[in-house]
Amino acid sequence: MSDQGLKIGKYSFRSRLIVGTGKYPSFEIMRAAHEASGADLVTVAVRRVDLNDKSKQSLLGWIDPAKYKLLPNTAACFTAEDAIRTAHLAKAAGVSDLIKLEVIGDEKTLMPDTEALLIATRALVKEGFTVMPYTNDDLVAAKKLEQAGAACVMPLAAPIGSGQGILNPLNIRLIIEAVQIPVIVDAGVGTASDAAIAMELGADGVLMNTGIAGAQDPVAMARAMRLAVEAGRTAFLAGRIPKKPYASASSPSIGLLEPRAAAAQKV
């Protein structure tokens, strides 16, 4: 049972946990949580951060580039054109050709617009981006994104920031079975058991922000998420026992002595 880590396009990462940078009480707590998470890929919203400002007054000044690779994202984009333009801003700042692609279709639920997402994915892949699209837990959409050249697919577990966990585990499992690229569960993870379930289903990784940043103790929760991802992955590789409708004795019956014989042996 071996595990080579998470591979996305040409990039390889030791950790299968990807963390965010928003909603932390302070930059100091964010940095400590990142360290506790064991993650080596950290996502940041391009439209909410000055990517050229690396001072201690800026969020990026608290992320050590020697420890973490930045994953710019197109959060708050509602059209394919906006998402493409935002990806260009990240590339122009010299951050990376990696891009977490988000195109939101509904302002209230923050559900992805899969049609616009496909348009933006095709365009950015042609330009040489390593595209990581955030999408619905939709098997057909995942297959189309793979065909469009996405480096992975990132189906939601539940609405962004809701903390509801994996609402449709069957959908996630079907996506994992259907595509050949990595599947990273994104959005809605609220606690460690949610992360473990995602990994036990066979997901290649989990991305989370609010579940850690919004916890009463973000640093402790980051540590818990790290352990959950590692445990879930190990359990998946180990192969769980099948579920059965009836009991099955833990001890084998072969070789058992009758009660009288067992008592005689003790005398």
Side-chain angles (χ1 to χ4, degrees), residues 125-211:
V125 167
K126 285 182 180 179
E127 295 180 21
F129 283 87
T130 302
V131 181
M132 301 171 61
Y134 163 68
T135 184
N136 294 308
D137 57 348
D138 182 331
L139 167 64
V140 176
K143 292 172 71 173
K144 288 183 177 181
L145 287 166
E146 180 181 31
Q147 293 165 4
C152 68
V153 287
M154 307 180 74
L156 55 80
I160 292 174
S162 68
Q164 295 186 63
I166 300 178
L167 296 180
N168 298 300
L170 177 60
N171 287 13
I172 300 297
R173 180 174 288 152
L174 291 175
I175 291 172
I176 291 168
E177 292 176 357
V179 301
Q180 301 303 310
I181 53 179
V183 176
I184 299 171
V185 172
D186 183 9
V189 172
T191 191
S193 58
D194 300 334
I197 289 170
M199 299 306 295
E200 288 173 4
L201 288 171
D204 295 278
V206 179
L207 188 151
M208 65 185 73
N209 181 71
T210 307

Side-chain angles (χ1 to χ4, degrees), residues 62-83:
W62 293 83
I63 302 174
D64 185 353
K67 291 183 178 180
Y68 308 102
K69 186 164 188 62
L70 284 181
L71 172 60
N73 68 62
T74 63
C77 289
F78 286 82
T79 67
E81 293 75 18
D82 277 350

Side-chain angles (χ1 to χ4, degrees), residues 36-57:
S37 75
D40 45 5
L41 184 58
V42 175
T43 189
V44 59
V46 177
R47 300 185 70 175
R48 296 179 178 136
V49 175
D50 182 354
L51 296 177
N52 295 306
D53 185 358
K54 307 294 175 60
S55 69
K56 283 296 182 181
Q57 285 70 46

